Amino acid sequence: MSDIEVRADEIWFDIAEKAGNTEFVGYSSTQGEGEVLAIVKDGVNIDSATVGDSVTIVTNQTPFYGESGGQMGDAGVISSQSGLSATVEDTSKPLGRLHAHKATILAGSVKLGDSVHLAVDVERRNRVRANHSATHLLHAALRERLGQHVTQKGSLVAPDRLRFDFSHPEALSPAQIAQVEADVNAQVRGNDEVTTRLMTPDDAVAAGAMALFGEKYGDEVRVLSMGALSPDAGAGNYSVELCGGTHVRALGDIGLFHVVSESAVSSGVRRIEALTGEAARLWLTERDDKLRQTAAALKTTPEDVPARIAALVEQSRKLERELAEAKKALALGGGGTAKAAGPEKVGSIDFIGQVIEGLDPKELRGIVDGNKKMLGSGVSAVLAVVDGRATIAVGVTDDLTGSLSAVDLVRAGVEALGGKGGGGRPDMAQGGGPEGDKAQAAIDAVKAALAAVPA
């Protein structure tokens, strides 16, 4: 722990020891009154603050939720009858028992002992609540569809999105994602009331509640129950979890749930990112607009876009194959762009060297094999240059592999291209380098290596 972190902890311990804990009253209200217990500026306790100051204000009670368990802290306004107006950008929870409001004073001033009015940004709170409740439903849906091995490994509940990390050994298929999404939305449409019970941790676990990642539990815990099991599964709630966060009153308040991505976090841990409510609707609307624009560009209907794209992809692949065959035929017919493909003597060995711009490197070995057949006995080096990068393949006919190795020859070419290594077999080897402008120098390097081999 750094000196700054140590000093920060000392400040919060000092505040808690002198002023006591903050009482959170935000489960049932988004507004409330409080007394200023501490003001912190630049890591130092101060007695008062005025216009323009960026401070952290601690009160004896607050409706502002402090960031914990993956849920972001509330934002809003702190004011007073004496003229204070401070905008709260975030709320944290030092030591797990103080609520610290990070605020900027826009008007008036504040001092220790002042009575203030605290008002949470309700619209922002509602979006956070919807996303938090959706993570509970998502967790339950994943366990139902993938198995009971699924457990939460982390989460982010923000006003604009939610992120949920969970244990699972492999990527979800599109069908699995669609089913999980459908399960969550079915619960949303059911619009069941979300119920909360206060219990001891042992009683909660005995009742089937799941503990959430990152939460710390005291002698009494909040047990959130939401949704209903399908008739085939019997009576009971769809999700029952321990959670100290804020949630919707009824699942219909979530509005809509949509998964936007599923990815890997680490070995055995997957991540789903999703949207709810208006954010989800806007995302889907934007995607629909893009689909319509794509359809217009392809001169087809949105419904026929997949078939049209598939046809264009197949057409592109056909043209690529035809172009590759044309380039290969041109090369085999002696049309190399940097050196004529006809054999030349290097010492007593027949040699063909070619540089072919734009040739797919996958075609190199076929061209080299064709050259070897044409030679009967000899060496062929063919180099393809694509987007400034060069790939070279060298082939040696079988009768010469006792004294020559294609691996040694190709390494000479690779070095001239600014690359390293290159490998293969005595009769065929390949490598590459980033300096495609030195293609002819690479062919010359192979010839020099070949000339240096004792007769």
Side-chain angles (χ1 to χ4, degrees):
M1 183 179 292
S2 68
D3 290 341
I4 294 177
E5 291 173 318
V6 170
R7 289 197 298 272
D9 279 349
E10 289 176 350
I11 289 172
W12 300 123
F13 277 115
D14 182 59
I15 292 172
E17 183 178 348
K18 292 179 180 178
N21 302 334
T22 302
E23 179 187 1
F24 178 60
V25 297
Y27 290 124
S28 57
S29 176
T30 55
Q31 296 192 44
E33 309 301 319
E35 177 187 345
V36 176
L37 302 180
I39 306 170
V40 178
K41 181 180 180 182
D42 298 328
V44 178
N45 276 313
I46 58 176
D47 294 331
S48 63
T50 188
V51 174
D53 286 340
S54 293
V55 295
T56 300
I57 299 172
V58 179
T59 55
N60 67 324
Q61 62 181 24
T62 181
F64 284 72
Y65 183 84
E67 179 178 353
S68 61
Q71 179 178 330
M72 292 181 65
D74 280 329
V77 174
I78 298 178
S79 60
S80 72
Q81 292 183 347
S82 63
L84 169 69
S85 177
T87 179
V88 178
E89 296 93 14
D90 190 18
T91 307
S92 59
K93 201 172 178 183
L95 310 181
R97 48 199 174 99
L98 295 173
H99 285 239
H101 310 86
K102 181 182 178 183
T104 299
I105 300 178
L106 304 180
S109 61
V110 62
K111 64 181 184 300
L112 295 180
D114 279 356
S115 294
V116 293
H117 181 74
L118 303 104
V120 172
D121 181 336
V122 175
E123 175 59 31
R124 183 180 183 278
R125 163 75 78 87
N126 286 341
R127 296 198 304 269
V128 171
R129 293 197 306 175
N131 284 334
H132 200 161
S133 295
T135 64
H136 284 228
L137 296 178
L138 173 59
H139 193 184
L142 289 168
R143 286 174 62 83
E144 178 180 11
R145 293 297 171 179
L146 303 181
Q148 298 302 298
H149 65 279
V150 171
T151 55
Q152 181 174 330
K153 295 299 182 183
S155 70
L156 170 68
V157 179
D160 58 336
R161 68 193 190 283
L162 67 90
R163 187 180 71 212
F164 189 80
D165 298 345
F166 58 99
S167 56
H168 191 60
E170 59 188 11
L172 274 66
S173 68
Q176 288 174 317
I177 294 173
Q179 186 61 68
V180 166
E181 187 178 274
D183 289 347
V184 173
N185 279 307
Q187 294 296 328
V188 172
R189 290 192 301 273
N191 197 29
D192 286 349
E193 182 180 354
V194 175
T195 61
T196 304
R197 292 175 292 166
L198 297 178
M199 307 173 68
T200 66
D202 290 343
D203 288 344
V205 173
M210 290 190 63
L212 283 180
F213 175 88
E215 291 281 5
K216 296 180 180 179
Y217 304 108
D219 296 334
E220 189 175 65
V221 295
R222 294 172 60 82
V223 180
L224 272 292
S225 301
M226 57 182 69
L229 295 173
S230 64
D232 294 340
N237 292 108
Y238 190 70
S239 169
V240 182
E241 295 188 3
L242 307 185
C243 184
T246 58
H247 288 272
V248 297
R249 291 182 174 86
L251 294 182
D253 294 342
I254 295 171
L256 175 66
F257 173 82
H258 181 66
V259 174
V260 297
S261 70
E262 190 272 346
S263 60
V265 177
S266 60
S267 178
V269 178
R270 308 296 301 178
R271 169 172 292 174
I272 282 179
E273 297 190 64
L275 304 172
T276 64
E278 181 66 3
R281 188 192 70 81
L282 290 174
W283 191 94
L284 291 168
T285 297
E286 181 180 358
R287 188 174 67 171
D288 189 56
D289 287 342
K290 290 179 179 178
L291 175 60
R292 293 178 188 279
Q293 293 170 21
T294 302
L298 296 173
K299 294 181 172 55
T300 188
T301 64
E303 292 76 16
D304 290 335
V305 163
R308 178 67 174 142
I309 290 177
L312 288 173
V313 169
E314 180 54 36
Q315 181 181 356
S316 176
R317 288 173 178 168
K318 180 181 178 181
L319 290 173
E320 288 175 356
R321 289 193 297 268
E322 291 175 352
L323 179 60
E325 288 298 322
K327 288 181 177 180
K328 184 176 179 180
L330 182 64
L332 290 173
T337 60
K339 189 76 174 179
E344 61 178 303
K345 287 287 187 180
V346 178
S348 61
I349 299 173
D350 288 332
F351 175 78
I352 294 178
Q354 293 171 273
V355 176
I356 308 174
E357 294 283 347
L359 179 71
D360 187 339
K362 295 177 182 178
E363 302 293 335
L364 284 174
R365 290 177 180 250
I367 294 174
V368 169
D369 282 337
N371 286 343
K372 285 165 63 177
K373 290 179 181 179
M374 182 174 65
L375 288 170
S377 175
V379 174
S380 173
V382 182
L383 192 147
V385 181
V386 179
D387 296 329
R389 182 176 178 85
T391 304
I392 184 172
V394 176
V396 176
T397 56
D398 291 341
D399 62 307
L400 299 178
T401 53
S403 57
L404 293 175
S405 172
V407 175
D408 295 334
L409 297 175
V410 85
R411 285 176 178 169
V414 168
E415 184 176 347
L417 296 170
K420 294 182 179 179
R425 307 183 308 271
D427 64 324
M428 179 70 73
Q430 186 168 317
E435 301 175 22
D437 58 333
K438 296 181 179 178
Q440 187 55 47
I443 296 294
D444 293 340
V446 174
K447 291 168 60 177
L450 180 59
V453 176

